[in-house]
Amino acid sequence: MERFNILVVGCGLTGSVIARELAEKGKKILVVERRGHIGGNMYDYVDGNGVLVQRYGPHTFHTKKRELYEYISRYADWQDYRLTCGAVINGKYTPAPFNFQTVDDFFDAGKAEAIKDALGTEYSGREFAPVLELLNHKNPLIREYAEFLFRNDYAPYTAKQWGVSPEEIDPGVLRRVPVRFSYGTGYFDDEF
């Protein structure tokens, strides 16, 4: 152990970066990892058939920061990817994060236009907001839309994913998923 200045436990994304940065500053690093590979849950490999396998499920790395993109590019190649998702509510597929298409999918034409107009007016200049913000809005049309989403998607998903009722979960969890105020799709608009 005298040969090392620093012990890094875990060679996932964070441990790898810490070890690399300290090593570049001249420190002698010992990295201890229980798995047989680096990269933590972002680890992938090409199997015998040439297929890229993400052992722990798909992970995407995205950022708005050019310097972070350039840093990662020193050690890895990027594959362009745009994450698009959907949800099935009452037997009908709709984009997720929810957007104006979702309003059109589940409300009659007149009410859908009124909800979209209210969202456009109340959230002018904003691309999205968390469902909790919409649930607490003073406009009854916005609250009705948010209650529909919460009752038919957020509440059952939360109970399944976290194993608790939505009332018991930290509200911060529900802040992570946006409701879009356009027909735009996808979770991330990051350049990189």
Side-chain angles (χ1 to χ4, degrees):
M1 287 300 292
E2 305 88 47
R3 296 180 297 150
F4 301 103
N5 302 110
I6 296 174
L7 170 67
V8 175
V9 179
C11 198
L13 187 59
T14 302
S16 298
V17 170
I18 290 170
R20 167 55 64 182
E21 287 296 302
L22 291 170
E24 287 181 5
K25 290 179 177 18
K27 301 295 181 184
K28 301 295 182 192
I29 312 297
L30 174 62
V31 178
V32 180
E33 171 59 55
R34 68 180 172 171
R35 295 175 176 167
H37 59 77
I38 64 169
N41 287 348
M42 291 187 72
Y43 172 72
D44 60 22
Y45 63 95
V46 177
D47 73 8
N49 297 309
V51 175
L52 181 64
V53 176
Q54 297 171 327
R55 179 179 283 177
Y56 305 102
H59 287 77
T60 59
F61 189 94
H62 55 92
T63 183
K64 292 178 176 16
K65 297 181 178 184
R66 175 172 293 283
E67 61 274 13
L68 185 54
Y69 167 78
E70 289 171 353
Y71 181 88
I72 296 296
S73 295
R74 290 169 47 194
Y75 307 104
D77 294 324
W78 292 83
Q79 289 185 337
D80 287 336
Y81 176 76
R82 180 154 168 81
L83 177 65
T84 55
C85 298
V88 176
I89 298 176
N90 300 332
K92 183 181 271 188
Y93 174 86
T94 193
F98 302 116
N99 63 12
F100 282 176
Q101 183 62 53
T102 306
V103 178
D104 293 342
D105 288 342
F106 295 103
F107 294 89
D108 68 64
K111 186 169 236 176
E113 287 307 312
I115 291 170
K116 291 184 291 188
D117 287 347
L119 290 168
T121 299
E122 296 292 330
Y123 292 97
S124 178
R126 289 182 61 186
E127 294 181 39
F128 53 83
V131 71
L132 287 180
E133 190 174 323
L134 277 66
L135 282 167
N136 294 311
H137 202 279
K138 66 182 187 259
N139 186 310
L141 280 172
I142 292 174
R143 271 197 325 274
E144 180 183 358
Y145 175 50
E147 288 166 0
F148 170 82
L149 295 175
F150 193 81
R151 182 178 59 253
N152 289 287
D153 183 78
Y154 290 93
Y157 179 82
T158 298
K160 176 185 166 200
Q161 176 73 13
W162 302 103
V164 297
S165 71
E167 294 78 26
E168 297 174 73
I169 196 147
D170 181 330
V173 171
L174 295 174
R175 286 190 194 106
R176 296 188 302 193
V177 181
V179 176
R180 286 191 174 273
F181 305 133
S182 69
Y183 286 95
T185 60
Y187 276 93
F188 309 113
D189 295 324
D190 297 336
E191 183 180 356
F192 307 103

